[in-house]
Amino acid sequence: MQANDSIIVINAGSSSIKFSMYSGPALDLTLRGKIENLYSGVARFIAQNADGSVVGEREWRDGPLNHEGGMRFLVDFAQTHLDGHRVIAVGHRIVHGGVAHSGPQRLDAALVDELEKLVPLAPLHLPHNLAPVRSVLAMAPDVPQIGCFDTAFHVGQPAEAQEFALPARITDLGVRRYGFHGLSYEYIASVLPKAEPRLAQAKVVAAHLGNGASMCAMQSGRSMASTMGFTAVDGLPMGTRCGALDPGVVLYLMQELGMDVAAVQKLMYQESGLLGVSGISSDMRTLEQSDEPRAKAAIALMVYRIGRELGSLAAALGGLDALVFSGGIGENSVALRSAVCKDAAWLGVELDEAANAANPRGVTRVSAPGSKVDVWVIPANEELMIAQHALELVEAG
Ligand code: ADP
């Protein structure tokens, strides 16, 4: 990779496209931006360079913008702001790779068609991940595109961690636990041994706590179990998702309350979690600043469920050497880290309250010197993980 070579990373969600550009052999972040509010109201674009200065802004007031229109704009924008950089690859975050895709792969039209078959497994996200791949294939067919799957990191989990206790004929249809946030956990697994070589072979539970939230048990940097399952609604309560639910609740909602599939889906994905319990907000910052008892109850429920899952994941590992916090909440909420660690004292977790309260930036240990279990804060960086994968694949030819 030459100094002026760049890799663009695309992370396309249902209503937004985020992009980052990494340049030179050290993969320095040189440009990042996003288009938000696709399909509804006024779509907005903003881009910043490495030092945070705004280098592009735009709004679409003449009707909704779709993924294709957004990508067309981004490709044009990138071309006019390349500043002598040459794009050698585009890396994409792809939510689902099924069981067959256990690592990053070069994307071509045939592979995109194959991935399209997985849409029923992730109907809310996968079409939006694939749309930009098709756009780039049409607009710049010679630029290599690399797909990085959120499920791939979990493909090697033990069979028991992946199976539901359902009849084999249902399991055989692909109804199994896949786990998500894999790129975030893979990044954590790559960073932790560099920060503390003693932890290279360790039993680690990492908590990626953002608007979506999950936890992952890792042994020697490999995924052994995760709280998200068949879909990304399982496990922890999240901003607006309910997390693990007795499946009997779904039957009750449909049979007794007469809710249809769309209503149950809306309830579980958009109206539950921190928002549903508090009735105030899905945003942890807002809840932490509120004096309302229901805001406190929502946070307490999240802390409780993190503690329960931590015990379960430590059991899956047969011990615990380190706990890692990541994601917007994990990286920033001093109070949540403190509460989770207090509840985990029985596992040998002891926080250094001062180090925790300093709310570190970057990769930092926040456990007390004598703590049996290390506690770390590692800022999430799925985009860099994708750029690294893209570079490896391009260099491998
Ligand atoms: P996403 O999953 O959409 O990428 P993020 O990882 O950015 O989301 O996490 C968003 C969450 O992080 C929100 O609940 C937000 O309130 C929370 N958060 C961000 N900063 C803070 C902070 N200083 N204190 C507490 N929570 C915070």
Side-chain angles (χ1 to χ4, degrees):
M1 182 150 180
Q2 310 293 317
N4 280 339
D5 287 350
S6 295
I7 291 173
I8 290 182
V9 173
I10 303 282
N11 181 355
S14 52
S15 64
S16 69
I17 305 174
K18 295 183 192 152
F19 76 94
S20 319
M21 186 163 88
Y22 295 87
S23 305
L27 291 176
D28 298 313
L29 182 65
T30 41
L31 189 66
R32 71 185 319 171
K34 57 188 171 188
I35 300 183
E36 290 179 310
N37 285 344
L38 294 175
Y39 299 98
S40 62
V42 179
R44 283 192 190 85
F45 165 75
I46 183 162
Q48 291 162 295
N49 65 12
D51 61 27
S53 315
V54 174
V55 292
E57 260 182 306
R58 176 163 175 192
E59 286 187 352
W60 286 263
R61 299 196 157 270
D62 47 352
L65 188 70
N66 61 17
H67 278 87
E68 203 193 328
M71 277 308 293
R72 213 175 302 125
F73 172 80
L74 286 181
V75 170
D76 279 350
F77 178 84
Q79 273 164 356
T80 49
H81 285 76
L82 275 177
D83 239 358
H85 291 284
R86 184 176 70 106
V87 176
I88 61 160
V90 179
H92 296 266
R93 180 177 179 185
I94 298 193
V95 68
H96 219 302
V99 279
H101 303 281
S102 57
Q105 276 183 298
R106 182 97 175 240
L107 297 163
D108 56 18
L111 183 51
V112 176
D113 287 346
E114 191 189 318
L115 292 171
E116 206 79 60
K117 295 192 189 120
L118 297 173
V119 164
L121 294 178
L124 302 179
H125 295 99
L126 194 51
H128 307 302
N129 303 154
L130 297 179
V133 182
R134 289 202 190 280
S135 301
V136 177
L137 275 174
M139 283 181 267
D142 297 332
V143 177
Q145 298 197 74
I146 313 296
C148 298
F149 305 98
D150 259 319
T151 46
F153 186 62
H154 305 297
V155 165
Q157 284 178 0
E160 297 85 352
Q162 301 196 38
E163 274 177 34
F164 293 117
L166 288 167
R169 67 174 190 282
I170 305 293
T171 307
D172 292 347
L173 295 173
V175 182
R176 56 195 286 288
R177 301 180 63 88
Y178 292 95
F180 298 90
H181 285 144
L183 293 157
S184 178
Y185 294 125
E186 192 182 3
Y187 175 74
I188 290 168
S190 73
V191 164
L192 192 58
K194 287 182 201 143
E196 177 49 271
R198 188 171 51 76
L199 294 174
Q201 310 298 320
K203 300 176 194 306
V204 177
V205 171
H208 177 108
L209 309 173
N211 284 313
S214 73
M215 295 167 74
C216 177
M218 298 183 275
Q219 165 75 68
S220 308
R222 294 174 54 189
S223 175
M224 302 300 282
S226 55
T227 60
M228 281 180 170
F230 180 61
T231 64
V233 77
D234 198 9
L236 299 176
M238 312 179 205
T240 61
R241 286 173 248 168
C242 57
L245 198 64
D246 174 348
V249 172
V250 176
L251 299 180
Y252 176 86
L253 297 174
M254 299 182 87
Q255 283 169 340
E256 299 300 322
L257 303 190
M259 292 171 73
D260 62 14
V261 172
V264 173
Q265 177 170 300
K266 188 159 177 250
L267 181 81
M268 294 194 312
Y269 279 87
Q270 290 164 28
E271 300 172 347
S272 297
L274 293 175
L275 173 66
V277 178
S278 70
I280 296 169
S281 173
S282 64
D283 192 284
M284 182 58 102
R285 248 172 316 193
T286 308
L287 297 181
E288 287 188 343
Q289 285 157 11
S290 167
D291 292 327
E292 291 280 333
R294 286 191 305 163
K296 295 191 192 315
I299 298 172
L301 182 54
M302 185 169 219
V303 169
Y304 172 81
R305 295 274 292 276
I306 292 171
R308 291 263 306 252
E309 294 291 354
L310 178 60
S312 164
L313 294 171
L317 290 171
L320 184 66
D321 301 313
L323 172 62
V324 177
F325 289 97
S326 191
I329 299 172
E331 291 159 33
N332 295 300
S333 176
V334 173
L336 180 123
R337 287 197 300 261
S338 175
V340 167
C341 289
K342 215 165 274 167
D343 287 353
W346 67 279
L347 278 165
V349 174
E350 195 192 337
L351 200 62
D352 178 334
E353 293 291 350
N356 184 49
N359 215 11
R361 298 275 155 249
V363 178
T364 315
R365 188 195 327 252
V366 291
S367 44
S371 180
K372 184 172 150 291
V373 175
D374 262 35
V375 184
W376 287 80
V377 176
I378 300 184
N381 204 341
E382 287 122 316
E383 284 81 9
L384 180 58
M385 197 71 239
I386 294 169
Q388 287 172 355
H389 280 314
L391 179 59
E392 277 162 29
L393 255 74
V394 169
E395 290 196 331

